[in-house]
């Protein structure tokens, strides 16, 4: 069974009548790492939020784990990580990670065991009792990832989670995210503006055209796993980066022609 299935999904915002998405068809299989990339305003984040039942589509259907997106959210099938960590400053690292577990009614002993596992997974052992304001931006995002994965969701949605970080921290967290993805077996949908990041992380890249957002191309990323610093020096990596860049350029040119003809 597919993890995500979108059929004819569209989104029109009432205010201003803006059409953000039009005719989106996409299927995501278990264990995939799929990145959404496109120009600013093409609806990448809107599409992610529709998958996560944070925004309702105005056309089409969304199925997650064989259910409606709304039912999947009620069943806690999602973990979500945003561009900013969105941690509670008055809660420690451990208590931030524990929040969804508390909401699910896990016992104190079960929560403690899971927190320990997640802290080890994101390599923050020794920082359990620190507060977010005592951590770097990269460490805060690792806490956010640990919290999102704490209840073992089938699907992890990530909306530019490393966009505000410096390049070195971003590359290090790319490596850690790949490690976490491989260890947990989660399915990830990832929004980014970085072509190289999309290619490095993904099994497949979804290239979107300018607004109204449509899928202009699906590009399989056949780089071997596990990936590391050597991957970024692989000639095939540069070939795939070029393929994504050229696809983005073609999508923009095609939309410009459509607008001229309209």
């Amino acid at each position: 069974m597919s993890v995500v299935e979108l059929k004819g999904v569209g989104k029109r915002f009432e205010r201003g009548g803006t059409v953000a998405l039009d005719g989106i068809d996409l299927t995501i299989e278990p264990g995939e790492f799929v990145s959404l990339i496109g120009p600013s305003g093409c609806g990448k984040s809107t599409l992610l939020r529709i998958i996560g039942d944070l925004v309702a589509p105005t056309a089409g259907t969304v199925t997650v784990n064989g259910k409606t997106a709304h039912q999947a959210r009620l069943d806690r099938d999602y973990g979500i990580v945003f561009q900013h960590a969105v941690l509670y400053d008055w809660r420690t690292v451990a208590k931030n990670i524990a929040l969804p577990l508390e909401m699910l009614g896990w016992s104190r002993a079960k929560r403690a065991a899971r927190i320990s596992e997640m802290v080890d997974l994101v390599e923050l052992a020794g920082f359990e009792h620190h507060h977010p304001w005592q951590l770097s931006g990269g460490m805060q995002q690792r806490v956010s990832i640990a919290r999102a994965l704490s209840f073992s969701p089938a699907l992890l949605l990530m909306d530019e989670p490393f966009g505000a970080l410096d390049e070195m921290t971003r590359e290090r967290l790319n490596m850690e995210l790949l490690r976490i993805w491989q260890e947990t077996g989660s399915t990830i949908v990832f929004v980014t503006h970085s072509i190289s990041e999309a290619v490095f992380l993904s099994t497949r890249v979804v290239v979107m055209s300018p607004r109204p957002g449509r899928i202009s191309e699906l590009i399989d990323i056949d780089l071997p796993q596990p990936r590391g610093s050597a991957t970024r020096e692989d000639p095939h990596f540069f070939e795939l980066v070029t393929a994504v860049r050229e696809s983005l350029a073609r999508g923009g040119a095609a939309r410009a022609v459509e607008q001229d003809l309209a």
Side-chain angles (χ1 to χ4, degrees), residues 39 70 98 130 146 150-151 155 171 183 196 207 230:
H70 181 65
H130 284 60
S150 63
F151 52 97
L155 179 62
E171 288 190 4
E183 289 184 13
S196 60
V207 180

Side-chain angles (χ1 to χ4, degrees), residues 29-63:
E29 302 298 338
E32 279 199 277
F33 194 126
V34 174
S35 287
L36 309 179
I37 192 166
S40 295
C42 74
K44 301 182 298 295
S45 294
T46 299
L47 182 57
L48 191 84
R49 283 164 168 75
I50 286 174
I51 295 172
D53 191 45
L54 301 176
V55 172
T58 49
T61 60
V62 182
T63 305

Side-chain angles (χ1 to χ4, degrees), residues 74-94:
L74 294 178
D75 292 344
R76 306 283 183 177
D77 287 354
Y78 301 105
I80 302 179
V81 179
F82 297 104
Q83 182 171 358
H84 300 289
V86 196
L87 302 175
Y88 293 103
D89 281 342
W90 61 90
R91 296 179 74 108
T92 63
V93 166

Side-chain angles (χ1 to χ4, degrees), residues 187-224:
T187 303
I188 296 180
V189 182
F190 187 93
V191 170
T192 180
H193 278 103
S194 170
I195 296 173
S196 60
E197 181 174 66
V199 171
F200 181 75
L201 291 173
S202 307
T203 58
R204 199 158 43 121
V205 173
V206 177
V207 180
M208 297 181 66
S209 64
R211 190 176 64 236
R214 299 176 181 136
I215 294 176
S216 57
E217 192 170 356
L218 300 173
I219 298 177
D220 290 327
I221 305 298
D222 56 355
L223 294 167

Side-chain angles (χ1 to χ4, degrees), residues 2 6 8 18 24 34 42 45 47 66 98 103 139 159 167 180 197 218-219 246 251:
S2 300
L6 309 176
T18 300
I24 300 291
V34 174
C42 74
S45 294
L47 182 57
M103 295 173 66
M139 293 171 77
D159 191 0
E167 193 66 22
I180 291 167
E197 181 174 66
L218 300 173
I219 298 177
E246 290 178 347

